[in-house]
């Protein structure tokens, strides 16, 4: 090549290369920006795994939808058959229905006539009352009362709604500072545990005291029985002595009566003697007397006669009197000796009073111990009754709510009523000696024992029991570790929706307090049906570069459906 053409070609060739390089640089920058938008390979893998999981979930949903479509078609054919049968039945029953309608119309006319008659009678009866109240008739008064009651009920409902809103607001404000609340709960829990230990120690001491007191009471009972037997013996002896004393007093009274009779007889003899002396004086019969009356040893005043000088006929009359006096003296001596032998023991009364005093002290001590035992038994029975009342309050509340919660967890568009669940006590009088039975019947399933249910059905039943217990004693938050492991996608969605509806935010929105106050929950799950119901996601992955696990967090409140 000659001339300056070669230089121009080189310049043009350099200019073409620069443009190409600029275009390539732009493409490079574009590709780099695309790469930055796409993220790292790990993020791509994560997105790919998420997309594959969603695709698998959608495929399962499509599969379930196809199965549901087949079942719906079968149901439609069956329903069409039933529809034809119902039409035939309607055509068959329509004449009878017309007859019944005519009869009903006739009865309605009769009832209206009777109602008019009743209204006239009631208006006549309550005429004075309606005038005093200021209404036309009693029905108007009843309608006014009903309206007033309805307005009061509506106002009560409004007030209860406002109270529940204020409660949820108050709960939300109280649950903001969780650390102090947890510390307070821990301190109260420690205090309650200490109180429980003290109560258990006191209960053990009370049991020991009751055992000791029962042993002492048994001993006292034995002593009381012994003293009672001794006192009975003493009473028997006293009765015997009393009998002997009464017999002695009767004998003494008999002897006194005999003495009185003898004294009366002596007086009669003295009178007879005086009469005889007077008679002798009248007949001038001289009676021999003793010169010194002291020689006879008698203390009777007046002259003492010497009967020895009398004739035998007169002596025979007096010999009978001497014999009677000797016999009387012998009887008197025998009775006096018998009275001396039957003298009672006067110390027996003192011994009896000492035994009574000792018995009184033992009985007082026994009564005090029995009173203390009764107080301890009453305290024990009150604690036992309080335990029974608390248990029955919790059981009645849980058994009343478990069916509602189980229905919410199992109802669907095909089964709007859901399943049935209930709790039964084996022994209502003493529930602590026996157990309780939990029965759950899923929709369209007959009654079976809990052991015969599938894993998913058991999981739903256990969650219903858990949330019903929570309704009685609400906890601040739940940690649910793979509770959806045995559930299919449909039941996972139901459980996730239920937990979301009963969370703090959901409870404030729905104003639903079926299972108590709202709660926070941390759910560990491997299924994507839980993810879209959450407020935040926390993912755990292995960092191979650092050789440890790391976490990723994602806030879903920004993307919440309006």
């Amino acid at each position: 090549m000659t001339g300056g053409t070669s230089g121009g070609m080189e310049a043009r060739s350099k200019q073409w290369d620069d443009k190409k390089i600029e275009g390539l640089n732009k493409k490079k920058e574009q590709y780099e920006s695309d790469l930055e938008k796409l993220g790292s390979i790990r993020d791509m893998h994560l997105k790919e795994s998420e997309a594959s999981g969603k695709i698998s979930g959608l495929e399962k949903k499509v599969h379930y939808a196809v199965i549901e479509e087949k079942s719906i078609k079968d149901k439609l054919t069956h329903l069409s058959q039933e529809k034809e049968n119902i039409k035939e039945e309607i055509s068959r029953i329509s004449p009878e229905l017309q007859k019944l309608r005519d009869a009903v119309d006739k009865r309605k006319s009769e009832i209206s006539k009777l109602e008019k008659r009743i209204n006239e009678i009631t208006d006549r009866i309550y005429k004075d009352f309606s005038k005093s109240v200021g209404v036309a008739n009693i029905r108007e008064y009843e309608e006014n009362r009903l309206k007033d009651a309805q307005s009061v009920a509506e106002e009560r409902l409004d007030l209860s709604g406002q109270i529940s809103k204020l409660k949820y607001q108050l709960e939300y404000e109280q649950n903001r500072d969780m650390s102090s609340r947890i510390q307070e709960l821990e301190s109260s829990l420690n205090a309650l545990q200490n109180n429980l230990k003290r109560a258990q120690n006191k209960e053990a001491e009370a049991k020991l005291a009751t055992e000791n007191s029962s042993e002492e009471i048994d001993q006292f009972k034995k002593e009381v029985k012994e003293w009672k037997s001794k006192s009975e013996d003493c009473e028997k002896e006293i009765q015997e002595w009393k009998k002997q004393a009464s017999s002695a007093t009767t004998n003494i009274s008999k002897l006194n009566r005999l003495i009185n009779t003898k004294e009366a007889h002596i007086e009669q003899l003295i009178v007879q003697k005086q009469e005889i002396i007077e008679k002798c004086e009248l007949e001038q019969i001289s009676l021999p007397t003793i010169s010194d009356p002291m020689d006879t040893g008698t203390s009777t005043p007046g002259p003492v006669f010497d009967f020895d000088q009398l004739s035998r006929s007169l002596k025979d009359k007096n010999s009978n009197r001497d014999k009677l006096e000797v016999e009387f003296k012998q009887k008197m001596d025998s009775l006096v000796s018998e009275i001396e032998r039957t003298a009672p023991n006067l110390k027996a009364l003192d011994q009896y009073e000492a035994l009574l005093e000792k018995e009184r002290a033992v009985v007082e001590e026994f009564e005090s111990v029995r009173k203390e035992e009764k107080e301890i038994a009453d305290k024990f029975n009150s604690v036992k009754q309080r335990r029974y009342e608390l248990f029955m309050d919790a059981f009645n509340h849980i058994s009343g709510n478990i069916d509602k919660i189980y229905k919410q967890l199992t109802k669907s568009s095909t089964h709007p009523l859901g399943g049935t669940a209930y709790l039964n006590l084996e022994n209502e009088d003493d529930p602590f000696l026996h157990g309780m039975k939990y029965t759950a019947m899923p929709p369209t399933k007959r009654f079976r024992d809990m052991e015969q249910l599938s894993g998913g059905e058991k999981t739903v039943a256990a969650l219903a029991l858990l949330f019903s217990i929570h309704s009685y004693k609400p906890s601040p938050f739940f940690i649910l570790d793979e509770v959806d492991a045995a559930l299919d996608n449909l039941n996972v969605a139901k459980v996730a929706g239920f937990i979301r509806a009963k969370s703090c935010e959901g409870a404030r929105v729905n104003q639903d307090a079926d299972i108590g106050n709202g709660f926070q929950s941390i759910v560990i799950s491997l299924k994507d049906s839980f993810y879209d119901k959450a407020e935040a996601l926390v993912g755990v992955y292995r960092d191979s570069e650092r050789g440890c696990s790391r976490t990723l967090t994602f806030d879903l409140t920004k993307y919440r459906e309006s």
Side-chain angles (χ1 to χ4, degrees):
M1 289 184 181
T2 60
T5 56
S6 61
M9 291 292 291
E10 288 176 0
R12 282 198 298 275
S13 65
K14 286 179 181 178
Q15 287 177 359
W16 183 79
D17 290 334
D18 290 336
K19 289 180 180 178
K20 191 174 182 180
I21 288 165
E22 287 178 359
L24 292 171
N25 285 327
K26 288 180 180 178
K27 285 183 178 180
K28 178 186 175 184
E29 290 175 357
Q30 187 177 357
Y31 289 148
E32 286 177 352
S33 64
D34 291 336
L35 283 171
E36 287 178 356
K37 288 178 181 178
L38 291 172
S40 62
I41 296 170
R42 190 180 294 108
D43 295 335
M44 293 293 290
H45 284 304
L46 289 172
K47 289 180 180 179
E48 184 180 359
S49 64
E50 289 177 1
S52 63
K54 288 182 180 179
I55 289 166
S56 64
L58 292 172
E59 286 176 353
K60 288 180 181 178
K61 286 181 180 179
V62 169
H63 180 65
Y64 290 134
V66 170
I67 293 169
E68 287 183 359
E69 184 181 1
K70 287 181 181 179
S71 65
I72 289 166
K73 285 181 180 178
D74 295 335
K75 286 181 181 178
L76 282 173
T77 56
H78 183 65
L79 290 171
S80 62
Q81 184 93 24
E82 286 185 356
K83 183 179 178 183
E84 294 296 328
N85 295 329
I86 290 166
K87 283 182 179 179
E88 292 177 359
E89 189 71 20
I90 288 169
S91 63
R92 187 176 63 81
I93 294 171
S94 58
E96 295 180 0
L97 180 64
Q98 188 62 37
K99 290 179 182 178
L100 292 172
R101 282 178 179 172
D102 295 337
V104 168
D105 293 334
K106 195 179 289 182
R107 290 288 177 88
K108 281 183 179 178
S109 62
E110 292 176 358
I111 288 166
S112 63
K113 289 178 182 178
L114 291 172
E115 285 179 350
K116 287 180 181 178
R117 181 65 178 163
I118 289 165
N119 291 331
E120 289 174 359
I121 292 167
T122 52
D123 292 336
R124 196 183 307 137
I125 291 168
Y126 293 102
K127 185 177 180 181
D128 298 330
F129 176 76
S130 2
K131 283 183 180 179
S132 63
V133 174
V135 293
N137 49 31
I138 192 67
R139 293 183 298 283
E140 185 178 350
Y141 175 76
E142 290 176 351
E143 288 175 358
N144 294 331
R145 291 291 300 273
L146 183 62
K147 287 179 182 178
D148 294 334
Q150 288 177 353
S151 63
V152 170
E154 289 174 356
E155 289 177 359
R156 284 183 179 173
L157 284 173
D158 294 335
L159 289 172
S160 63
Q162 291 178 4
I163 289 166
S164 61
K165 287 180 182 178
L166 292 171
K167 282 183 179 177
Y168 286 128
Q169 268 185 345
L170 181 62
E171 250 178 39
Y172 177 73
E173 295 295 333
Q174 288 177 350
N175 289 330
R176 280 186 176 179
D177 188 8
M178 296 301 293
S179 60
S180 62
R181 181 65 177 165
I182 288 167
Q183 288 177 358
E184 290 176 0
L185 290 172
E186 286 177 352
S187 62
S188 63
L189 181 62
N190 293 326
L192 290 172
Q193 287 177 352
N194 294 326
N195 291 329
L196 180 62
K197 288 180 181 177
R198 291 173 187 168
Q200 289 175 353
N201 293 326
K202 287 182 179 178
E203 186 177 3
E205 291 176 357
K207 285 182 179 179
L208 290 173
T210 51
E211 290 176 358
N212 295 327
S213 61
S214 62
E215 291 177 357
E216 291 178 356
I217 287 164
D218 294 333
Q219 292 177 359
F220 286 135
K221 283 181 179 178
K222 290 179 182 178
E223 291 180 359
V224 167
K225 286 181 180 178
E226 292 176 357
W227 285 112
K228 280 185 178 178
S229 63
K230 289 180 180 178
S231 63
E232 287 174 358
D233 296 334
C234 293
E235 285 179 355
K236 288 179 181 178
E237 291 180 359
I238 290 164
Q239 290 295 330
E240 290 177 358
W241 286 113
K242 283 182 178 179
K243 287 179 181 178
Q244 292 178 2
S246 63
S247 63
T249 52
T250 54
N251 291 326
I252 289 166
S253 62
K254 288 179 181 178
L255 292 173
N256 288 326
R257 284 198 296 273
L258 285 171
I259 289 166
N260 292 326
T261 55
K262 294 297 181 181
E263 287 177 352
H265 187 63
I266 289 166
E267 288 178 356
Q268 289 177 1
L269 291 172
I270 291 168
V271 170
Q272 288 177 2
K273 178 183 176 184
Q274 190 67 30
E275 289 176 354
I276 290 166
I277 292 167
E278 289 176 357
K279 190 176 181 181
C280 290
E281 287 178 356
L282 289 172
E283 292 179 359
Q284 294 181 358
I285 296 171
S286 62
L287 295 174
T289 58
I290 297 171
S291 61
D292 189 4
M294 296 300 292
D295 294 337
T296 59
T298 58
S299 60
T300 56
V304 178
F305 298 100
D306 187 6
F307 294 101
D308 292 334
Q309 295 180 7
L310 293 174
S311 63
R312 185 173 293 176
S313 59
L314 295 173
K315 283 183 179 180
D316 291 335
K317 291 180 181 179
N318 293 324
S319 61
N320 293 326
R321 182 174 176 276
D322 295 334
K323 289 179 183 179
L324 290 172
E325 286 180 357
V326 171
E327 289 176 0
F328 179 71
K329 284 181 180 180
Q330 288 177 356
K331 287 181 181 179
M332 286 285 289
D333 294 334
S334 63
L335 290 172
V336 169
S337 62
E338 187 177 356
I339 289 167
E340 289 178 354
R341 282 199 306 272
T342 58
N345 186 8
L346 299 177
K347 294 182 179 180
L349 292 173
D350 297 333
Q351 293 175 358
Y352 178 69
E353 289 177 357
L355 289 173
L356 284 176
E357 188 66 28
K358 196 168 183 180
E359 183 189 4
R360 195 179 299 111
V362 172
V363 168
E364 288 178 357
E365 189 173 0
F366 172 72
E367 290 294 333
S368 64
V369 173
R370 189 171 66 180
K371 188 176 180 182
E372 186 178 358
E373 182 195 9
K374 186 177 181 299
E375 291 176 356
I376 293 168
D378 292 339
K379 289 180 182 178
F380 176 76
N381 291 328
S382 64
V383 171
K384 187 176 179 181
Q385 183 67 23
R386 179 62 178 163
R387 180 184 69 165
Y388 175 77
E389 290 174 357
L390 292 174
F391 177 81
M392 290 306 296
D393 289 341
F395 177 79
N396 292 329
H397 182 86
I398 293 166
S399 61
N401 286 335
I402 194 166
D403 187 57
K404 299 177 185 177
I405 297 167
Y406 188 73
K407 287 182 187 300
Q408 292 180 13
L409 289 172
T410 55
K411 68 181 179 181
S412 60
S413 59
T414 56
H415 306 292
L417 296 177
T420 303
Y422 54 88
L423 289 171
N424 283 329
L425 286 173
E426 293 182 0
N427 187 359
E428 293 185 357
D429 295 329
D430 197 351
F432 300 102
L433 294 178
H434 302 276
M436 65 178 71
K437 190 171 183 181
Y438 179 26
T439 305
M441 288 186 288
T444 68
K445 294 285 183 76
R446 61 181 178 81
F447 173 78
R448 286 184 291 182
D449 290 333
M450 190 68 73
E451 292 81 7
Q452 297 177 357
L453 298 178
S454 64
E457 291 169 347
K458 288 180 181 177
T459 302
V460 174
L463 288 173
L465 181 60
L466 173 68
F467 290 126
S468 61
I469 292 170
H470 166 75
S471 67
Y472 183 70
K473 292 290 184 182
S475 58
F477 62 91
F478 280 104
I479 297 177
L480 304 174
D481 188 3
E482 294 189 11
V483 295
D484 57 351
L487 301 177
D488 55 5
N489 290 329
L490 185 61
N491 285 320
V492 169
K494 289 179 184 177
V495 173
F498 182 83
I499 292 172
R500 177 58 188 270
K502 304 305 177 184
S503 63
C504 291
E505 190 67 28
R508 284 195 297 274
V509 172
N510 297 327
Q511 295 293 327
D512 189 1
D514 285 342
I515 64 163
N517 301 322
F519 59 87
Q520 293 177 331
S521 60
I522 299 172
V523 182
I524 301 168
S525 176
L526 298 176
K527 296 184 179 180
D528 57 351
S529 300
F530 261 112
Y531 301 162
D532 57 352
K533 303 291 184 182
E535 294 183 353
L537 298 177
V538 178
V540 181
Y541 69 96
R542 178 177 174 77
D543 192 350
S544 58
E545 295 178 357
R546 297 187 179 183
C548 63
S549 298
R550 299 188 69 183
T551 59
L552 297 172
T553 58
F554 190 68
D555 188 6
L556 293 179
T557 56
K558 300 176 183 177
Y559 310 100
R560 186 177 297 168
E561 295 180 359
S562 59

